[in-house]
Amino acid sequence: MNTIETRALAAWLDDTLQASRFRDYCPNGLQVEGKSKIGHIITGVTASEALLRAAIERGADAVLVHHGWFWKNEDARVRGPKRTRLALTLAHDLNVFGYHLPLDAHPTLGNNAQLARVLGLEPARRDDGAPLTCGPDNLVWLGSAPGVATLGELAAQVQSRLGREPLVVGNAGQPVGRVAWCTGGAQGMMADAVDAGATIYITGEASEPTTHLARETATGFIGAGHHATERYGVQALGEAVAEAFDIRVEFIDIDNPV
């Protein structure tokens, strides 16, 4: 089995995802250092206890996730679930890599790019070929839904392709015009999408004000699930790692209804 030096992989991931560009809510990159060489990686959405135990059971050297650890303003004390996760990681010499906003934003491997692929959305492009975006850190993508006429049809397509029923706000018969999307908990960026001319906004979650904003701007809203919309970027990133270094990479989907 081929291996790669842990620090070399960390450098490649940081460079590929341009991690230093982002002011994030957590540290991006190698969050917990384990074995010095890596030959087997488990990828997943979140570095939960369940994912760690699955990685240990499979004899992996590292986990690579979108939702890692050490979030801004979280309780810094090491107790409860945090203690359990860290104890498992250190006892088994696991490396933990986490990439949050850099993985959302990447133009090909990122969550937004991959969600577009899965849902059949067509990103609008700038003159240089980059995706047309808006919002903080340009995280909201803009485009269209070819072949889909109404909000109801688009919601049905989302449900079919993600395997879960979305939350929908709006008239099912309203036409689909400009579509905007941002995976995960990006309901707070809906106003940016509306300002950019979106008539439909797709994200993972909704908050109480989301319904009012959707109704008052006549913008269709689809809340497709935080976990459900963010399963694909880390898979694409893992496949890129496997291809670049010829090491074993497995994706494990720990079910999450949110």
Side-chain angles (χ1 to χ4, degrees):
M1 180 176 67
N2 289 333
T3 62
I4 181 174
E5 295 283 341
T6 297
R7 292 185 178 273
L9 178 59
W12 185 89
L13 288 166
D14 287 350
D15 182 63
T16 298
L17 297 176
Q18 299 182 25
S20 62
R21 284 203 307 114
F22 296 87
R23 296 182 62 186
D24 211 334
Y25 314 103
C26 61
N28 288 295
L30 181 60
Q31 295 186 331
V32 178
E33 186 174 4
K35 298 171 185 174
S36 62
K37 293 185 178 181
I38 295 172
H40 183 190
I41 300 173
I42 295 297
T43 63
V45 176
T46 299
S48 63
E49 179 183 342
L51 187 73
L52 295 172
R53 291 193 182 279
I56 292 164
E57 181 181 332
R58 288 162 172 77
D61 307 306
V63 295
L64 170 60
V65 298
H66 177 49
H67 299 138
W69 297 340
F70 314 119
W71 297 90
K72 184 179 180 181
N73 297 327
E74 75 172 22
D75 188 341
R77 291 174 292 182
V78 180
R79 62 181 190 174
K82 179 186 286 188
R83 180 192 183 281
T84 300
R85 292 178 182 181
L86 280 170
L88 283 170
T89 300
L90 296 174
H92 294 274
D93 214 13
L94 276 175
N95 293 281
V96 176
F97 295 91
Y99 290 93
H100 186 231
L101 295 183
L103 186 56
D104 286 323
H106 194 275
T108 58
L109 302 175
N111 284 321
N112 284 329
Q114 292 298 313
L115 185 66
R117 176 186 62 79
V118 171
L119 295 185
L121 304 176
E122 182 65 36
R125 300 286 177 182
R126 303 182 188 275
D127 291 341
D128 62 0
L132 184 64
T133 57
C134 67
D137 285 313
N138 291 307
L139 289 172
V140 178
W141 285 37
L142 301 164
S144 60
V148 181
T150 67
L151 173 62
E153 289 179 13
L154 182 57
Q157 184 162 300
V158 170
Q159 179 172 346
S160 173
R161 299 193 180 186
L162 298 187
R164 58 162 288 161
E165 183 178 0
L167 169 68
V168 182
V169 180
N171 184 332
Q174 75 181 76
V176 173
R178 168 169 278 190
V179 180
W181 64 95
C182 186
T183 67
Q187 62 270 43
M189 300 181 192
M190 183 175 177
D192 297 291
V194 173
D195 288 345
T199 58
I200 306 289
Y201 185 58
I202 303 171
T203 187
E205 299 184 30
S207 298
E208 193 277 340
T210 306
T211 296
H212 305 297
L213 179 60
R215 290 172 176 169
E216 292 168 14
T217 61
T219 304
F221 174 83
I222 298 177
H226 195 136
H227 178 88
T229 58
E230 296 197 324
R231 290 179 294 194
Y232 305 103
V234 75
Q235 291 184 63
L237 181 60
E239 290 167 3
V241 170
E243 182 176 353
F245 302 108
D246 193 25
I247 59 176
R248 184 181 176 192
V249 180
E250 298 179 79
F251 173 74
I252 296 179
D253 191 16
I254 305 296
D255 182 58
N256 187 333
V258 175

